[in-house]
Amino acid sequence: ILCLVLAAVLLVAAMCNSLLYALAPNGATYTVGNFSLTCPDGSISYSVVALGVVLIVAAVVNAFGLLVSLFSNFELQKRSSILSVLLLTGYYILLLIYILLIINSDETVATLSFEAAIMFPFTAIVLNVLSFLSARRTEAKILAKASGFRLRD
């Protein structure tokens, strides 16, 4: 349960922070967040809102997995952990696509500066895998105990 709580908190924290800064050779700085891209002239583009939507869906799936784990429904907990890992893997693929689009834009990007918040979804992936393994182990223990009880004639 603790893994799912930490994963949900990390996903919410990742939604609130910026992910990276792209510095152009002329000194212009682009700020990439989960919901917006801030240009050097102050204009805001919402073309990266898909990153935030994927994080919101992953956080909802984690909350569902947390709720299901309270009722000891191990099968649904394992499935929600797998879904969350797949969503967060898709998040990183989408982020890579956006980074490549920024690099290949009209102005050549000199440097990319990553923030610590870019690793929060990866940590959530690790915590979801640990939650999956814990649910599988607990389910196996319960099944082993249940198979030990046999009625004798």
Side-chain angles (χ1 to χ4, degrees), residues 14-76:
M15 280 187 255
C16 299
N17 295 321
S18 60
L19 299 175
L20 61 98
Y21 298 102
L23 183 65
N26 61 1
T29 303
Y30 296 90
T31 304
V32 179
N34 285 311
F35 294 101
S36 65
L37 170 70
T38 306
C39 297
D41 60 357
S43 63
I44 297 174
S45 171
Y46 295 103
S47 60
V48 293
V49 76
L51 290 172
V53 170
V54 170
L55 279 182
I56 288 173
V57 172
V60 168
V61 168
N62 271 337
F64 176 73
L66 180 62
L67 180 67
V68 165
S69 69
L70 294 175
F71 293 106
S72 299
N73 190 340
F74 299 112
E75 194 63 35
L76 277 178

Side-chain angles (χ1 to χ4, degrees), residues 19-128:
L19 299 175
L20 61 98
Y21 298 102
L23 183 65
N26 61 1
T29 303
Y30 296 90
T31 304
V32 179
N34 285 311
F35 294 101
S36 65
L37 170 70
T38 306
C39 297
D41 60 357
S43 63
I44 297 174
S45 171
Y46 295 103
S47 60
V48 293
V49 76
L51 290 172
V53 170
V54 170
L55 279 182
I56 288 173
V57 172
V60 168
V61 168
N62 271 337
F64 176 73
L66 180 62
L67 180 67
V68 165
S69 69
L70 294 175
F71 293 106
S72 299
N73 190 340
F74 299 112
E75 194 63 35
L76 277 178
Q77 182 183 354
K78 290 189 298 188
R79 289 180 183 178
S80 69
S81 293
I82 290 170
L83 180 60
S84 181
V85 167
L86 290 175
L87 283 170
L88 292 173
T89 304
Y91 170 81
Y92 275 112
I93 292 170
L94 193 60
L95 180 63
L96 180 66
I97 290 170
Y98 282 128
I99 289 173
L100 292 176
L101 288 175
I102 290 171
I103 289 174
N104 294 330
S105 66
D106 294 336
E107 295 180 4
T108 306
V109 174
T111 59
L112 288 176
S113 172
F114 296 100
E115 293 290 315
I118 205 164
M119 290 304 294
F120 290 168
F122 179 75
T123 309
I125 288 173
V126 172
L127 290 171
N128 275 307

Side-chain angles (χ1 to χ4, degrees), residues 139-150:
E139 185 181 24
K141 284 180 184 178
I142 290 173
L143 289 176
K145 279 185 182 179
S147 65
F149 296 118
R150 296 196 178 153

